[in-house]
Amino acid sequence: MLFTEVFNRYQWDKEHASIYAKTAEEVIRALSRHSRTWEDFKALISPAAFPFLEQMAQLSQRETQKRFGKTIQLYAPLYLSNECQNICTYCGFSLDNKIPRKTLTALEILQEIAVLKEMGYEHVLLVTGEAQQLVGMDYFKQMLPLIKKHFAHIALEVQPLDEEDYVTLHRLGVNTVLVYQETYHQEDYKLHHPKGKKSNFNYRLETPDRLGRAGIHKIGLGALLGLDDWRTDSAFTALHLQYLEKQYWQSRFSISFPRLRPHAGGLEPKTVINDAELVQLICAWRLFNGEVELSMSTRESETFRDHIIKLGITSISAGSKTNPGGYAVAPQSLEQFEIDDSRSPAEIATVIQKAGYEPVWKDWDPSLQTI
Amino acid sequence: MNQSLKIADKIFSSRLFTGTGKFSSTKVMEETILASGSELVTVALKRVAHQHIENDQLLAHLNHAHIHLLPNTSGVRTAKEAIYAAELAREALETNWLKLEIHPDPKYLMPDPIETLAAAAALVKLGFTVLPYCHADPVLCKRLEEAGVAAVMPLGAPIGSNQGLTTLTMLEIIIQQSTIPVIIDAGIGKPSQAAQAMEMGADAVLINTALATAHDPKAMAIAFKQAVEAGRLAYELGGLAPVNNHHAVASSPLTSFLNTI
């Protein structure tokens, strides 16, 4: 059984309509339950739930503290390459963007690592574009042993791979893999990914299945909010999570909330998710699933991030650079997306402490992952 | 009308499964099972004259088109014994279906998780449709599922105890995690407890002692039938009325910062 089989039983338009038809009564019912269904999640992200935002926030805070205590985990992205064979209408690294391309050498990676270690990082997220020849399995096999020595926890956000590759990556020390579906709207997915391996919707949709089968400890999901209707995309992400949790019961899961925002020259979002709606979405996730990790990047503003750490988020990045070499090697090169909160990790740690939470730098150990 | 339940290749319209032990007579047993509407009835191999099956009185009373037999291995203490008993049962009762029960302890009849998992894996390979009786242990249930069993049968309380769902918290996790049917077996003593199991999403319940030892087993079978249907209906409709939670709203609201952005 693969998620595509479940997914094909649902229709985008029908789910979209049902979310927008949710009533206040259904929201109240969802709020009153002690464990919540997928339909409850749909109610909680619907426009009908918006007046209940404060109550959702209170409940979300309580649920999050129950499972995670008053802690926030810190991680940093490390971009290894901006080479990419895909055309993605929303991405700075898209093949059709004429930008200088760079893939870090072993020496350059070590220079970048030195900066991250100086900042205090133990959890690193390795990011690349999709360019099989330049940054495929050979590159990972060569670089991972080098990187592994310096970090307690390695996450990967790279092109979808085959199951056997994930088994290999796990052996090489990768604990977590993030693969965002971008959108669950099959037709629009094709419009936004016209060229490259990424244009294969089903291969991407089944990637978390391959990760689960390969025994990857943690699997990250998400939709690029705004690419299509963010509510419907989030509902499908929740459906995906619900399926994966049952199917791969030994894996952990995390959700991210990248949002597409209007900016000059960039792709116009189909629907805009504003700050309050993003709070609503994060709280709805927490009320739907008490155990899932919720992650927040530096795309968001300082004020937003300062407050959101109390509302359901469990991990946060800080001081991020989204260009290969951004920390030390080539700080001026083009970023994948614009950073809004540019405060240092130390500053963010202080913000977390002031909120009454403990910043957690290390929450894994490679010795726990020897086979 | 409840949704039908599919286990392996069979479809059941009744979610009340029953047993054949402890009845005062085979006649009472038959009347009770018929009144319950049950379509899956477990029979202990040890009770069946499997060498002369055509003369078996117990089986004669279960000879109804809508009733499927579920032979069980009650009495065995190891995986090896269970596999042998399963082969005998398959031959005698002409069914691949098997309720796997291994309880080495004769006092509480607690299922042995280690032997059960080993036997389940072996029996699945031998082509059996295995329904293991087991502890309300979420990890064990997932391991059994991975071994290829057709459903899991976690206990609600010690068998025959009529104590109800004393393992409630664990059963909730099992139901939530399972990709195969979950049948609550053992411990259910009252119709209200059967309804509770169904309301929380159990796929079926297996009731034996509470029927066989009731003052009027046939009447009690009807009560359980209705309770199971009511509980299931409540689950399927998914719309239990909200419990009135009085969530205090903090004096400093968490979302007021949104007005400042």
Side-chain angles (χ1 to χ4, degrees):
Chain A
M1 169 107 149
L2 294 165
F3 181 63
T4 35
E5 202 182 306
V6 176
F7 179 75
N8 288 335
R9 288 184 218 139
Y10 295 84
Q11 290 161 6
W12 176 279
D13 292 343
K14 220 172 128 189
E15 296 309 327
H16 179 274
S18 101
I19 294 166
Y20 285 85
K22 293 283 181 191
T23 62
E25 193 195 330
E26 286 169 285
V27 175
I28 292 169
R29 183 165 293 162
L31 286 171
S32 74
R33 282 190 210 270
H34 107 107
S35 79
R36 298 179 180 90
T37 64
W38 186 58
E39 286 299 325
D40 291 335
F41 178 76
K42 285 162 60 185
L44 294 174
I45 58 171
S46 74
F50 195 71
F52 300 89
L53 190 58
E54 179 61 27
Q55 196 185 345
M56 286 174 68
Q58 299 283 346
L59 285 170
S60 174
Q61 183 184 68
R62 206 165 58 182
E63 278 294 311
T64 308
Q65 288 182 1
K66 199 163 79 185
R67 174 75 181 199
F68 297 90
K70 290 188 160 190
T71 66
I72 297 284
Q73 219 172 75
L74 283 148
Y75 73 95
L78 171 51
Y79 277 66
L80 300 175
S81 174
N82 61 6
E83 291 283 353
C84 197
Q85 299 301 315
N86 292 318
I87 292 181
C88 305
T89 55
Y90 47 84
C91 179
F93 294 167
S94 186
L95 175 68
D96 52 350
N97 281 352
K98 300 286 171 246
I99 55 160
R101 301 287 171 170
K102 175 149 193 70
T103 300
L104 298 186
T105 63
L107 202 64
E108 288 169 333
I109 290 175
L110 289 174
Q111 285 176 265
E112 295 284 291
I113 288 175
V115 176
L116 289 175
K117 293 300 289 185
E118 187 66 27
M119 291 171 168
Y121 279 115
E122 284 290 342
H123 288 219
V124 71
L125 168 66
L126 306 175
V127 187
T128 72
E130 175 156 19
Q132 213 64 260
Q133 299 303 318
L134 287 163
V135 277
M137 279 304 289
D138 290 342
Y139 181 80
F140 301 139
K141 280 183 203 163
Q142 193 192 339
M143 301 305 174
L144 275 168
L146 193 77
I147 300 167
K148 196 185 152 187
K149 278 186 246 164
H150 302 277
F151 294 100
H153 181 273
I154 294 180
L156 215 55
E157 187 180 341
V158 304
Q159 69 274 25
L161 297 162
D162 293 340
E163 186 180 328
E164 64 204 41
D165 293 333
Y166 287 133
V167 172
T168 306
L169 290 171
H170 181 69
R171 283 205 201 104
L172 290 169
V174 172
N175 177 274
T176 298
V177 178
L178 316 181
V179 181
Y180 304 146
Q181 186 60 33
E182 318 297 9
T183 177
Y184 289 81
H185 190 299
Q186 204 158 349
E187 291 74 35
D188 282 5
Y189 180 93
K190 294 206 168 104
L191 295 178
H192 290 296
H193 308 95
K195 190 174 177 302
K197 220 180 155 195
K198 193 167 175 177
S199 59
N200 187 338
F201 179 84
N202 282 347
Y203 186 72
R204 196 168 186 89
L205 194 63
E206 288 171 357
T207 305
D209 280 291
R210 296 194 300 278
L211 289 165
R213 289 177 179 192
I216 293 291
H217 284 209
K218 188 157 71 183
I219 302 170
L221 309 176
L224 182 53
L225 305 172
L227 199 54
D228 218 291
D229 178 70
W230 65 266
R231 291 188 171 91
T232 315
D233 260 328
S234 298
F236 277 105
T237 313
L239 187 72
H240 206 164
L241 174 69
Q242 183 171 270
Y243 157 85
L244 291 167
E245 272 199 334
K246 276 198 180 188
Q247 212 67 24
Y248 308 104
W249 59 286
Q250 297 192 36
S251 295
R252 289 155 66 193
F253 298 91
S254 73
I255 304 291
S256 304
F257 310 93
R259 58 173 163 167
L260 192 62
R261 279 190 286 187
H263 69 277
L267 178 75
E268 272 304 300
K270 191 164 171 181
T271 60
V272 176
I273 172 167
N274 64 34
D275 287 337
E277 287 167 339
L278 185 53
V279 170
Q280 182 191 353
L281 178 62
I282 288 168
C283 295
W285 268 107
R286 176 57 68 223
L287 298 185
F288 175 59
N289 189 309
E291 297 80 35
V292 72
E293 296 180 26
L294 302 178
S295 179
M296 172 71 22
S297 80
T298 48
R299 283 177 194 238
E300 302 302 336
S301 71
E302 295 186 7
T303 313
F304 189 85
R305 276 161 50 93
D306 287 358
H307 289 89
I308 203 70
I309 54 179
K310 286 173 135 179
L311 297 187
I313 289 296
T314 57
S315 72
I316 197 165
S317 54
S320 305
K321 301 292 176 190
T322 67
N323 42 337
Y327 295 106
V329 177
Q332 300 309 319
S333 60
L334 188 83
E335 296 180 320
Q336 188 198 20
F337 60 84
E338 217 172 307
I339 301 299
D340 196 330
D341 183 354
S342 55
R343 289 172 294 176
S344 72
E347 285 173 279
I348 296 299
T350 307
V351 167
I352 293 169
Q353 279 162 337
K354 278 192 177 151
Y357 285 65
E358 189 193 0
V360 174
W361 298 91
K362 179 178 182 292
D363 195 25
W364 188 246
D365 197 280
S367 64
L368 302 175
Q369 195 183 329
T370 48
I371 39 167
Chain B
M1 192 64 189
N2 294 160
Q3 290 165 4
S4 56
L5 167 62
K6 188 168 187 228
I7 303 176
D9 57 338
K10 284 193 168 65
I11 291 176
F12 300 94
S13 57
S14 165
R15 292 170 180 268
L16 172 56
F17 299 161
T18 53
T20 52
K22 303 187 185 180
F23 284 95
S24 57
S25 72
T26 45
K27 184 169 171 290
V28 173
M29 176 196 81
E30 183 179 19
E31 287 170 0
T32 305
I33 290 169
L34 291 176
S36 75
S38 181
E39 296 161 343
L40 191 67
V41 178
T42 189
V43 182
L45 179 70
K46 64 184 181 183
R47 289 280 308 275
V48 177
H50 58 87
Q51 274 131 347
H52 307 284
I53 206 86
E54 60 286 354
N55 300 328
D56 190 89
Q57 276 311 296
L58 189 74
L59 294 182
H61 282 86
L62 295 172
N63 191 11
H64 296 277
H66 70 282
I67 293 178
H68 298 288
L69 296 183
L70 179 63
N72 72 62
T73 58
S74 176
V76 305
R77 290 171 298 177
T78 65
K80 211 174 152 192
E81 289 173 356
I83 293 164
Y84 182 69
E87 298 276 20
L88 283 181
R90 172 153 72 177
E91 200 170 313
L93 300 179
E94 293 175 349
T95 174
N96 281 328
W97 283 53
L98 184 81
K99 182 181 171 202
L100 176 63
E101 284 186 46
I102 306 178
H103 26 72
D105 118 64
K107 187 174 166 71
Y108 297 107
L109 304 174
M110 285 289 131
D112 182 330
I114 296 159
E115 295 293 316
T116 301
L117 181 59
L123 288 166
V124 167
K125 286 201 183 92
L126 290 168
F128 284 90
T129 297
V130 182
L131 290 81
Y133 169 56
C134 60
H135 282 283
D137 177 335
V139 172
L140 176 63
C141 286
K142 288 307 274 188
R143 295 290 299 264
L144 286 164
E145 183 182 313
E146 286 174 348
V149 303
V152 287
M153 306 184 78
L155 54 82
I159 194 162
S161 70
N162 289 339
Q163 288 171 356
L165 306 179
T166 60
T167 58
L168 183 80
T169 309
M170 298 301 144
L171 291 173
E172 280 180 334
I173 296 172
I174 292 167
I175 290 166
Q176 198 201 340
Q177 288 188 326
S178 188
T179 61
I180 52 175
V182 177
I183 303 156
I184 312 295
D185 185 9
I188 293 178
K190 302 174 190 170
S192 57
Q193 293 160 349
Q196 187 190 6
M198 300 309 293
E199 266 168 25
M200 62 193 240
D203 294 283
V205 291
L206 193 147
I207 314 287
N208 183 57
T209 303
L211 297 179
T213 63
H215 176 66
D216 182 343
K218 195 176 153 187
M220 194 54 75
I222 295 166
F224 267 98
K225 177 178 189 280
Q226 292 175 354
V228 167
E229 286 169 359
R232 181 66 196 182
L233 191 61
Y235 172 76
E236 283 173 10
L237 295 176
L240 291 177
V243 178
N244 203 352
N245 288 337
H246 298 286
H247 302 301
V249 172
S251 50
S252 57
L254 294 170
T255 52
S256 53
F257 76 96
L258 290 164
N259 304 325
T260 68
I261 299 186

